Amino acid sequence: MSNKQTKSDVILIGAGIMSATLGTMLKELAPDWKVSLFEKLDKAGEESSHELNNAGTGHAALCELNYTSEKADGSIDITKAIKVNEQFQLSMQFWSHLVEQKLIKDPNQFIMPLPHMSLVQGEDNVTYLKKRFAAMTANPLFQGMEFSDDPEKLKEWIPLIMKDRPASESIAATKIDTGTDVNFGALTRMLIDHLKQADVDVNYGHQVEDIKRASDGEWELKIKNNRDGVLEYHKAKFVFIGGGGGSLPLLQKTNIPESKHIGGFPISGIFMICKNPDVIAKHHAKVYGKAKVGAPPMSVPHLDTRYIDGEKSLLFGPFAGFSPKFLKTGSMMDLIGSVKPNNVTTMLACGAKNMSLTKYLVEQVIQSKEQRINELREFVPDAKSEDWDLWTAGQRVQVIKDTDKGKGTLQFGTELVTDADGTVAALLGASPGASTAVSVMLDLLQKCFPEYVKDWEPKLKEMIPSYGKSLVENPELLKEIHASTAETLGLSKKEAILD
């Protein structure tokens, strides 16, 4: 039986950080628009946005070595690092605006200052890190970064990692104190609570089963109310698919041309969580190493201090895993169901080109806990198995598509897919994901609401002071924004922001 039928200006699918960010921006820009949100689970931020389903790194490219590749001539390409950092600066500004306007409270519930570090071992890697440090510190975005290969200095920075390490080992690290730990789960819940107060119709326990374009050009969604089994039909002028790993199957249901020749490959993550308070107290940083050969960028090993529910914790990982599910709460048939006649050759081509990734995943899946502890010991030499528990993190679905690099290219990063007339958009991919949510949504506004953007510009500049400007090209503006966001978000109380 179906009774309920509604009509909205905007429908958001998924109650994660992406839908929460877009909904919040739209209610600031167009407060009169009717916005509805549908989430199949009973709470907000329970999948990829949940604090234990992601690394919580405020991805600003301060420590992630996969954003700074070494070119054939030996120089370091920091182009991607610059882009990711500027994207994160947009998020910081928007969050600051929300705090200043008292739309969300107590930023310490979702963001804390925390040093970001890169750690390498071996002479070749130390040489690489020195060159990376020189390239990055020449850019105003990365001022304040320090480098050391002095074991005594490293013992000050990372005593847990340096304890019992051989004196002859070639090791080096960079450190920058303006990094952050972000609880994206807490932030998502705060944003969704604000949306409810802003008259957004938030519906939990509602699963989208189909999306079709109606004869009037609008989108009609067939939605099952999981609580009573009743089917509902909801129409909207614009639909955003922000369902994490579940976005791809919903995008395919739209049947737009842009949904063709796109596939997805799910990769799960496993973290080790320390349960010994004495060990937790000895580490205070996010320390990123180098990915192993064949590993996807999201599997870069890191030892992270985290702040969850007001408690300091310590995580190591991620170890890659495999499940055919596209969400932790998904179906074992997700992967098979996503293979369509229009993307089957794309998927097969990807498989043929990524045998090293397949080999890596197989090796990761069959690892015992003790084997994982041995990997942890590369970071913490005296790690004890009884101090650590395993936790299965969120599912990530890496995008596969045909590009100028060839058929079936595996994409790493976050990708926005929209139709030609901007009436539907879907967010696919993984890291840096949540950290770049505001940048992604600014891109979405340009693509899907171009007729409104000029009128919205004054408000956008109020929300994001650097809107339309490059911070690299405006170092004084960068310095001003660093200081103001740090003050508003409570980061300057504990860490020096800029010299």
Side-chain angles (χ1 to χ4, degrees):
M1 181 179 177
S2 173
N3 295 316
K4 189 172 181 180
Q5 296 187 17
T6 66
K7 189 170 182 178
S8 304
D9 294 298
V10 173
I11 285 180
L12 308 172
I13 302 176
I17 187 63
M18 294 299 177
S19 291
T21 300
L22 178 57
T24 302
M25 293 180 79
L26 287 175
K27 291 307 288 187
E28 287 286 281
L29 298 168
D32 295 334
W33 285 10
K34 178 174 171 53
V35 179
S36 299
L37 182 150
F38 297 94
E39 164 62 51
K40 76 170 188 175
L41 302 180
D42 293 328
K43 296 179 183 176
E46 286 294 290
E47 278 281 354
S48 297
S49 300
H50 191 277
E51 49 267 40
L52 286 176
N53 286 343
N54 60 69
T57 303
H59 283 294
L62 304 175
C63 57
E64 305 93 321
L65 299 177
N66 52 305
Y67 295 148
T68 50
S69 59
E70 187 169 9
K71 296 193 284 190
D73 63 2
S75 63
I76 306 299
D77 183 359
I78 67 169
T79 306
K80 188 170 184 179
I82 291 171
K83 180 180 179 182
V84 170
N85 187 283
E86 288 211 316
Q87 288 176 325
F88 186 64
Q89 301 296 340
L90 297 175
S91 292
M92 293 278 278
Q93 292 173 67
F94 182 60
W95 299 339
S96 295
H97 167 77
L98 297 177
V99 172
E100 287 171 348
Q101 298 300 311
K102 295 181 170 51
L103 301 180
I104 59 175
K105 300 175 183 178
D106 191 7
N108 283 341
Q109 289 185 12
F110 74 88
I111 188 167
M112 294 289 283
L114 192 69
H116 281 198
M117 299 182 62
S118 302
L119 178 73
V120 298
Q121 297 154 279
E123 291 183 8
D124 290 345
N125 286 332
V126 170
T127 300
Y128 157 77
L129 192 65
K130 283 181 180 177
K131 292 191 292 184
R132 176 183 182 270
F133 170 72
M136 296 189 80
T137 52
N139 188 291
L141 289 173
F142 306 105
Q143 294 299 304
M145 183 179 286
E146 302 173 73
F147 170 89
S148 182
D149 55 5
D150 176 7
E152 294 306 312
K153 173 59 72 172
L154 295 178
K155 286 177 184 177
E156 294 177 19
W157 287 357
I158 42 176
L160 184 67
I161 290 175
M162 293 301 293
K163 186 176 184 294
D164 296 334
R165 198 169 284 278
S168 60
E169 184 176 4
S170 181
I171 187 169
T174 57
K175 175 175 177 282
I176 184 165
D177 289 331
T178 52
T180 55
D181 176 64
V182 184
N183 185 327
F184 287 107
L187 176 59
T188 298
R189 293 187 288 271
M190 294 167 83
L191 293 177
I192 297 291
D193 285 344
H194 162 64
L195 290 180
K196 290 179 183 177
Q197 295 173 7
D199 294 325
V200 170
D201 183 24
V202 177
N203 302 272
Y204 295 117
H206 281 66
Q207 184 164 346
V208 178
E209 297 201 335
D210 203 4
I211 308 174
K212 290 184 178 179
R213 197 187 292 271
S215 57
D216 59 4
E218 296 188 358
W219 292 96
E220 184 175 73
L221 279 66
K222 178 183 175 182
I223 301 176
K224 181 181 179 181
N225 184 331
N226 289 332
R227 293 168 181 169
D228 56 20
V230 171
L231 290 178
E232 304 173 1
Y233 291 86
H234 301 266
K235 288 185 69 177
K237 301 172 186 175
F238 173 79
V239 175
F240 173 66
I241 305 172
S247 289
L248 177 59
L250 291 174
L251 174 63
Q252 291 174 329
K253 290 178 184 296
T254 67
N255 208 33
I256 60 173
E258 293 80 4
S259 70
K260 312 296 184 185
H261 307 289
I262 296 179
F265 187 79
I267 299 175
S268 63
I270 297 171
F271 282 103
M272 304 193 83
I273 302 179
C274 185
K275 56 185 180 181
N276 186 332
D278 293 335
V279 175
I280 295 169
K282 293 174 183 174
H283 187 76
H284 186 74
K286 287 185 179 289
V287 182
Y288 274 58
K290 291 196 78 173
K292 293 188 175 182
V293 175
M298 63 169 284
S299 293
V300 172
H302 42 95
L303 183 68
D304 291 356
T305 296
R306 297 289 310 275
Y307 291 94
I308 298 173
D309 296 332
E311 296 284 332
K312 186 177 179 181
S313 56
L314 184 61
L315 278 71
F316 176 76
F319 300 94
F322 175 76
S323 165
K325 294 181 180 182
F326 279 4
L327 294 165
K328 285 182 76 172
T329 57
S331 164
M332 297 296 284
M333 297 301 293
D334 284 345
L335 177 57
I336 293 175
S338 72
V339 180
K340 309 293 182 184
N342 67 71
N343 71 1
V344 64
T345 55
T346 300
M347 298 281 282
L348 290 173
C350 179
K353 291 194 296 186
N354 288 278
M355 295 306 294
S356 61
L357 174 59
T358 303
K359 178 176 180 290
Y360 169 80
L361 288 176
V362 170
E363 291 172 347
Q364 288 277 294
V365 168
I366 63 175
Q367 276 188 326
S368 65
K369 180 181 177 181
E370 195 56 35
Q371 287 174 310
R372 293 185 172 116
I373 288 290
N374 285 335
E375 289 198 30
L376 168 61
R377 289 183 181 129
E378 294 180 18
F379 274 70
V380 185
D382 68 345
K384 297 175 177 59
S385 182
E386 61 267 24
D387 290 339
W388 298 81
D389 286 333
L390 295 177
W391 171 265
T392 300
Q395 287 286 101
R396 304 291 184 267
V397 179
Q398 305 294 151
V399 178
I400 300 169
K401 68 178 190 177
D402 302 335
T403 69
D404 54 8
K405 294 181 180 179
K407 203 168 188 66
T409 303
L410 190 63
Q411 305 289 100
F412 296 105
T414 308
E415 188 155 340
L416 183 69
V417 178
T418 66
D419 65 332
D421 54 4
T423 61
V424 64
L427 196 73
L428 308 175
S431 183
S435 296
T436 62
V438 172
S439 174
V440 170
M441 295 313 152
L442 289 175
D443 188 23
L444 183 149
L445 295 179
Q446 294 282 352
K447 291 181 176 180
C448 300
F449 303 100
E451 69 273 28
Y452 295 100
V453 170
K454 188 173 182 180
D455 291 337
W456 287 345
E457 196 167 288
K459 185 66 176 180
L460 286 168
K461 289 180 177 178
E462 177 188 325
M463 296 191 296
I464 304 166
S466 73
Y467 177 77
K469 298 178 182 178
S470 165
L471 290 175
V472 172
E473 296 171 5
N474 294 273
E476 285 303 313
L477 177 61
L478 169 64
K479 189 172 182 178
E480 180 184 323
I481 285 172
H482 259 304
S484 63
T485 56
E487 181 67 28
T488 303
L489 296 174
L491 306 178
S492 57
K493 298 172 186 175
K494 299 180 182 177
E495 304 285 355
I497 298 306
L498 284 179
D499 184 270

